Amino acid sequence: MEKSKKTILSKILKITGITFVISLLAFIILPIIFADTITEKVKVLANKNLEGELNFNDSELSFFKHFPSLTLTLHELNLNGSKPYQNKSLISAKEIGFGIDVWSVVFGSQTQIEEIYIDNAKINILVNQKGEANYNIYKSNSKDTTTSSESASLELENIQISNSHLVYNDKSTKILIEAKGFNYKGKGDLLESNFNLKTSAKIDSLSFTYDKKEYLKNKKVKADLITKINTNSLSFIFEKNDLVINKLPVEFTGLFDFLKNGYQMDFKLKTEDSNLDDLFTALPAEYVSWMTETKMKGKTSAFLTLKGKYIASENLSPELNFNIKVRDGYVKHTKAPYPVENIFLNFDTKLPNLDINQLKIRLDSLYFDVNKNNLSAILISDGFGKKVTINSKVKSKLDLAFLSNALQIPNFKLAGNLDANIVSKGNYSKEDKKFPFTKGNFEIKNGFIQTAYYPKPIQNINLKANLNSTTGDFKDASFVLSPANFTFEGEPFTMTASFKNFDDINYDVKAKGTLNVARIYKVFSQKGLDVDGFIKADLSLAGKQSDASNGRIGNLKNSGTLEVRNIKTTSDYLVKPFLIENGLFTFNQDKMNFSNFNGKYGTSDIAMNGNLENVINFVLSENQILKGSFNLTSNLFNINEFIPTITYETDEEAEITEVSGVVEIPTNLNVSIQTNAAKTQYDDITIENLRGNVLIQNGTLKLSNGTLGIIGATAKMEAVYKNEGTQKAYFDYKINASEFDIKRAYNEIKMFREIVTAAESAEGIVGLNYSIKGVLNNQMEPIMPSLEGNGILSVKKVKMKGFKLLNVVSSKTENPDIKDPDISKVDIKTTIKNNIVTIERFKFKVAGFRLRFEGQTSLDGKLNLKMRIGLPPLGILGIPIKVLGTQENPDIKLGRKSEDLEETEYVDGVTPINTSEGLPGPKTVPNDSIPKIEPAVPIEKVD
């Protein structure tokens, strides 16, 4: 019996040993046998289904890399992205492994890839301003990878990413996400149309930036997520998602659907009953070191939702809601003599349709104590801007030094006494002239502020303000600032102000001192300066709004000076900021005089002297016109930089800048500017010594009595420009140039090339006296069918070298002297309308021949011309010619039959010819698409 047991045990051990050896041999031999085959199949799968370029240095097949999976590992792999980022890397990795189904290798017709392992990778996801992304690398027209025709297929059930670096840079949404030490595991049947994706992620350092502002920086994140994905409808349901940001636990649920013309979303993010110090761990990194020396107690809850549709074409956006609560808060730094305690906060805000005018705020409590000082506040408001309903109470008796000492914020000091008692309730409406019932006092005594960003403090801050409205009407509202003063860098600044009766403002403002704007900005920010200059004021402004409005200038008492240097200003009408390098502004009643004003806008430089009128009324009232008169000189005035543009990437080599609208002219100006610009740049045209009077009035710009140098010639010019919104503008232009080089005009002026296409072959001197008006599109280009014009092209001495029309006529009539003729002293009168240039009859002589021209040509080059070649000696006998076709391919008909062509003759692409009525435009341009041209200001004829 004992021997039998030993025999059975021996057999089991032998079988086990043999099985183990066979399995071990299989683990060793199978990768050797199938390594090249599987590698080749994966290459075929990649090349057939991926747009991006794939490269790797080496490959290996092993069971031991991710045991027990048979894994094909590609070393030093790089995969480029899709257009327009085909030259930039999407994924580069030290190793990428593909888990292979062993059964499919040995017995199947396909090699099935079930798992992907990515190690030490750089994943670089890019989206440009136009929404074009680099991750669309899968060929949409490829066959289904599960069909038997493929040598390999994807049957993904598991994705693992280890120790990688992920960057998501979406310029269309202004979102930048960077994750370092990114580890990810995802499981699910990824090829099903509906599947659950279970994932876990761990990130050592996560940073989140929106519109260049950092909201998270270097945060640790741990997440367990379940996402339901419907690939048919492109729908994502975030079912159960638990995140930890540093120590703050967060729950995330929601859905995201792709619509035909936008998105639908319903996101919910919340943390409940969390510790106050856990909340602070999720704040920016600069607070972390401060937290290690700070004791915190209390509970907090926060809730964020984003729900609704985002459809730009219908102006639909989701609603944003945010709520935060803090209970029994306590904060004390180890070096602080006392804590900030009894912190209570209830804050709730809603932003329907992401529209700031619908903003709703409910701060129904804010309270804290610090060393028997306290602050309490309530603020409930509905609306923003022109109409607001408000209910607010603020009460404070606070020594700011106590607060500063208690918090011990690094490199930040506050001091001074803050007393505030403000009660405001009711409606604010500019239209109805309503103001909330308000009684408010706000005072700071002996204030002091110093930060790490500048070594010296702003000190001696004293400010006392009173806001009152006893009846709820504009006429009984008042605001008094008496005084506001501080000292910075040894320079004192003081200001007093009084505004009474908001229905007819009675103002009294005095300001004196120097504001070193750059250094003051440094006190509060370390991110680079917007300005680098100062404002020096010595002003006394007093009067009544109605006196300024009704011209009772004698009742005003406005005087003083304002000196500025190196100040940047922005405007809705300007694409770039305007830098005032220096300027002295002197106030005298309703006028503001400019002296020694020098500025820069992009590459343009501007020097101005003059004055503005109605300044006070313009500032205090709506719909008022600012009047003025200036002399302006410039070495370079670049009009192109005033045109709105958008820049987007095409690939790693290039960025494209496109015009995105027309130049907007302010409607609230009535300003005359005598201009003298040494060099003016517009589109591809360089203008020298531009002089004339520019009038900006009622949203229209008019240039009169203009003279300029262009393509080596001197010309007179008149112009009118008026925009209609941002996408369309009207222009009316006249030019009178006695002599200019026609070859230079063709080469250097785009519009001349488009209208006078025949000039491509011409050389010599011509004169031009022409008027043209029309419509500009949102690319600041003329809409050809809208053009209307007339005038004279005076041919002084021109050689029509290589002119195809005359070359064909020369060949047809067997008269070589007509080819490449010299033409002198001919006036060619033309009109432009409905895309057609009509040429009045004109005559000229060529080598004894007398030629006569008339007819029409469309702006896209189609011809309907009549010619006659008068034969020597007197031209009594002649050859009639009809010219159809195009300028590139003219169709010449000779003899009397050409004069008797039926009206059914067609020029290619246009309606039947009727020379008595004129040649209509191309069929492709319907009449109702031609905008009506109504310049706001008529142009006088140029002498």
Side-chain angles (χ1 to χ4, degrees), residues 542-544 547-548 550-558 588-590:
K544 189 182 290 187
D547 288 337
N550 296 314
R552 296 189 289 268
I553 307 303
N555 294 340
L556 304 179
K557 297 178 181 178
N558 301 319
N588 182 15
Q589 305 301 56
D590 75 329

Side-chain angles (χ1 to χ4, degrees), residues 656-667:
I656 287 182
T657 300
E658 290 183 351
V659 174
S660 61
V662 298
V663 177
E664 293 186 74
I665 305 299
T667 57

Side-chain angles (χ1 to χ4, degrees), residues 716-737:
K716 295 180 180 179
M717 183 176 69
E718 309 271 339
V720 172
Y721 173 91
K722 180 180 176 63
N723 67 288
E724 184 178 296
T726 62
Q727 301 300 302
K728 184 168 68 173
Y730 304 96
F731 74 95
D732 195 338
Y733 178 77
K734 288 192 176 186
I735 186 169
N736 189 344

Side-chain angles (χ1 to χ4, degrees), residues 785 922-930:
K923 288 181 178 179
T924 55
V925 182
N927 290 333
D928 58 3
S929 72
I930 302 174

Side-chain angles (χ1 to χ4, degrees), residues 27 71 109 164 186 210 296 346 370 388 397 419 429 438 506 536 582 651 711 762 889:
F27 284 145
T71 305
S109 60
S164 294
Y210 175 71
M296 293 186 186
N346 270 1
V370 52
V388 184
K397 191 80 172 176
D419 290 337
S429 172
T438 303
N506 192 336
K536 187 175 182 179
N582 54 67
D651 54 36
I711 55 171
N889 188 21

